Amino acid sequence: RTQSMMRGLALLASLASAAAFAPLPTMLPRTAHASPSMQLYKAGSLQGKGVNCIPLFSRPAYLDGTIPGDMGFDPLGIGNWDVLNMNFLREAEIKHGRVAMLGFAGIMAESAGIKAPGVASVFGDSNDIFAIHNAAVAKGSMGQILLWVGLIEMLAGWPAMMERVNNPDAIPGDFKFDPLGLGTKNMARKQLVEIKNGRLAMLAVSGIVHHTIITGKGPLG
């Protein structure tokens, strides 16, 4: 009896294998599904309208799709906490994204061995990001960066942050700095591009740091 069952299973398996290579008599019609368009390649004016990245849950009421990069993603409801301000959260995200983009560019340049003249004689010729960081700490360079950047942050960054928190019409991340006039047109699209690239850079820098700690190798090996 067991032998008959095995033969039956083998026959079914062979039929299934043959059916996999048999041509279909007709093509099954595809069901049309409405999907959000890729707004990054348009003017960006739609921002997150019509997009809900968690279809199982309704979009939060305070995320109406008008904020650059708003995809309705806030599973913890952080944007609705009374202790936080939406403009504060937006300002913090943009600032962290900008720092991460600079950090990613610096990490990749160092890992590729690209150094400004005189840097190797001061910090060594290592391409390891942690070795470079430790050398900069030992030489006092990191202390100078902390001092001057902290001073600029206290004198300019914090007042600008408070102005945006208290003024609902203020634009987060806008320091009125545009010497090349890049913001004269397609501003909505550029805001969307910046926030998307900033979010990607934050993930990338975090991944590179943890990868280097775990494997001992940089992003370029």
Side-chain angles (χ1 to χ4, degrees):
R1 184 172 180 175
T2 304
Q3 190 174 11
S4 299
M5 283 181 67
M6 295 298 294
R7 288 177 179 175
L9 290 174
L11 178 61
L12 290 174
S14 61
L15 290 174
S17 300
F21 293 95
L24 292 175
T26 57
M27 290 295 293
L28 296 176
R30 291 186 177 183
T31 304
H33 294 284
S35 59
S37 60
M38 181 59 73
Q39 301 162 31
L40 183 62
Y41 300 104
K42 294 186 177 181
S45 57
L46 292 177
Q47 298 298 354
K49 290 182 178 178
V51 179
N52 186 10
C53 63
I54 310 181
L56 296 177
F57 302 98
S58 59
R59 171 186 274 272
Y62 51 87
L63 297 177
D64 58 2
T66 59
I67 297 174
D70 173 16
M71 297 296 178
F73 181 79
D74 190 11
L76 300 180
I78 296 175
N80 201 32
W81 293 359
D82 293 334
V83 295
L84 296 174
N85 180 287
M86 181 58 74
N87 275 2
F88 174 85
L89 296 174
R90 292 175 61 193
E91 181 79 22
E93 183 182 34
I94 292 172
K95 180 174 290 187
H96 281 81
R98 289 171 177 173
V99 171
M101 285 187 281
L102 290 172
F104 177 79
I107 288 172
M108 296 307 294
E110 291 288 357
S111 299
I114 301 173
K115 300 181 184 294
V119 171
S121 62
V122 177
F123 299 110
D125 57 357
S126 174
N127 295 341
D128 183 83
I129 58 175
F130 289 105
I132 298 169
H133 171 271
N134 295 337
V137 171
K139 298 289 185 179
S141 301
M142 294 299 291
Q144 292 186 47
I145 293 174
L146 179 63
L147 172 65
W148 295 111
V149 172
L151 184 63
I152 294 173
E153 184 68 22
M154 286 188 294
L155 296 180
W158 185 256
M161 171 77 79
M162 289 298 99
E163 190 270 337
R164 291 177 179 82
V165 168
N166 297 318
N167 182 7
D169 297 326
I171 302 175
D174 181 13
F175 284 89
K176 310 300 180 185
F177 179 77
D178 189 13
L180 300 179
L182 300 177
T184 55
K185 60 180 181 179
N186 299 329
M187 189 61 181
R189 181 185 183 278
K190 290 171 181 175
Q191 287 177 313
L192 187 61
V193 168
E194 182 184 40
I195 197 67
K196 284 179 175 287
N197 281 280
R199 289 168 178 172
L200 181 60
M202 286 188 279
L203 291 172
V205 170
S206 177
I208 289 172
V209 170
H210 285 83
H211 173 270
T212 304
I213 293 175
I214 294 171
T215 66
K217 297 181 180 180
L220 301 181

